[in-house]
Amino acid sequence: TQLLEQSPQFLSIQEGENLTVYCNSSSVFSSLQWYRQEPGEGPVLLVTVVTGGEVKKLKRLTFQFGDARKDSSLHITAAQTGDTGLYLCAGDDGRTDKLIFGTGTRLQVFP
Amino acid sequence: DAMVIQNPRYQVTQFGKPVTLSCSQTLNHNVMYWYQQKSSQAPKLLFHYYDKDFNNEADTPDNFQSRRPNTSFCFLDIRSPGLGDAAMYLCATSRDLAGGFNEQFFGPGTRLTVL
């Protein structure tokens, strides 16, 4: 069974701080996605990483896919209150129509 | 704008009273998914359609059924809701995977309350 473990599970920080969320698995994925979900809304796709070692930037967010395509990280620089939400990584095994979702990281950014 | 729409956003039903949740999409995607999400947990896949082909997850209770009358619409029927079925229900779509990645686009969800 493929599993994606995220850490930390919860993160509470003040505006302006930096943070990193990790997404780890023992399985190889053909691609991996990061979503942010705000309370009461559906997840919104932030980025898809495909190539081992790939780094993608989205404003203050930096996403990295591990060289072996088994893990990924999300780094947020100078967090803002608008970054608050549930961050989910999701892996695509490239064989089925399904995504394997990570366990989630709930981020709270205080002013 | 192309999007995934879910109606209603909030649904209250009584224990045992059938309820139907709807999802529509203007993305013209082949694949449509229904997920159940409980508080602060990852979405749990219930089933999905690849075009008209229905794929049920092994651990999805028989209480949950789905219909996809055409490409744009998909319905989730809960035949006899129990208190444990109170959750956020998410619909998602993705396009044909041939040569592409399984990027899923989610609707805003329907929050189901069971009294």
Side-chain angles (χ1 to χ4, degrees):
Chain A
T1 304
Q2 293 175 304
L3 291 173
L4 271 170
E5 295 284 343
Q6 285 184 238
S7 62
Q9 189 176 356
F10 298 98
L11 195 51
S12 183
I13 61 172
Q14 289 210 298
E15 248 184 339
E17 291 185 30
N18 302 332
L19 66 115
T20 302
V21 177
Y22 299 94
C23 175
N24 294 298
S25 175
S26 58
S27 302
V28 176
F29 293 101
S30 63
S31 69
L32 191 139
Q33 295 157 35
W34 283 93
Y35 292 85
R36 177 170 65 218
Q37 184 177 19
E38 297 185 15
E41 299 293 331
V44 174
L45 179 64
L46 297 174
V47 78
T48 299
V49 285
V50 179
T51 306
E54 181 177 9
V55 176
K56 280 191 173 178
K57 292 194 174 186
L58 185 67
K59 296 183 181 177
R60 294 175 294 101
L61 278 59
T62 302
F63 304 86
Q64 185 161 9
F65 203 12
D67 291 341
R69 290 185 286 130
K70 293 182 180 181
D71 55 83
S72 183
S73 64
L74 157 61
H75 182 80
I76 301 179
T77 303
Q80 299 177 356
T81 55
D83 296 327
T84 292
L86 177 68
Y87 287 81
L88 294 160
C89 63
D92 176 6
D93 64 11
R95 298 190 306 274
T96 69
D97 303 323
K98 299 185 283 191
L99 290 176
I100 309 298
F101 276 89
T103 46
T105 295
R106 181 157 292 283
L107 172 65
Q108 178 77 53
V109 182
F110 291 97
Chain B
D1 286 342
M3 54 198 309
V4 181
I5 302 161
Q6 290 188 245
N7 285 304
R9 293 293 313 274
Y10 301 92
Q11 176 74 60
V12 180
T13 190
Q14 290 183 324
F15 183 95
K17 186 174 180 182
V19 67
T20 295
L21 310 182
S22 75
C23 177
S24 64
Q25 53 128 342
T26 60
L27 297 161
N28 203 31
H29 283 173
N30 296 77
V31 194
M32 293 187 78
Y33 306 81
W34 279 106
Y35 290 89
Q36 179 192 66
Q37 187 181 31
K38 297 196 174 179
S39 183
S40 290
Q41 296 179 19
K44 179 181 181 298
L45 183 64
L46 296 173
F47 25 60
H48 74 282
Y49 278 92
Y50 191 108
D51 292 327
K52 287 189 175 295
D53 292 334
F54 177 71
N55 299 272
N56 198 27
E57 293 301 295
D59 58 354
T60 297
D62 292 340
N63 197 26
F64 292 86
Q65 305 284 320
S66 186
R67 297 169 282 133
R68 189 179 185 186
N70 55 51
T71 300
S72 301
F73 285 87
C74 197
F75 300 97
L76 169 61
D77 301 308
I78 308 177
R79 292 193 297 188
S80 182
L83 298 179
D85 297 327
M88 173 76 94
Y89 289 87
L90 296 164
C91 174
T93 73
S94 67
R95 59 172 182 254
D96 192 320
L97 299 179
F101 317 117
N102 188 353
E103 290 183 329
Q104 294 188 15
F105 296 88
F106 285 82
T110 295
R111 168 75 60 190
L112 177 68
T113 300
V114 182
L115 301 178

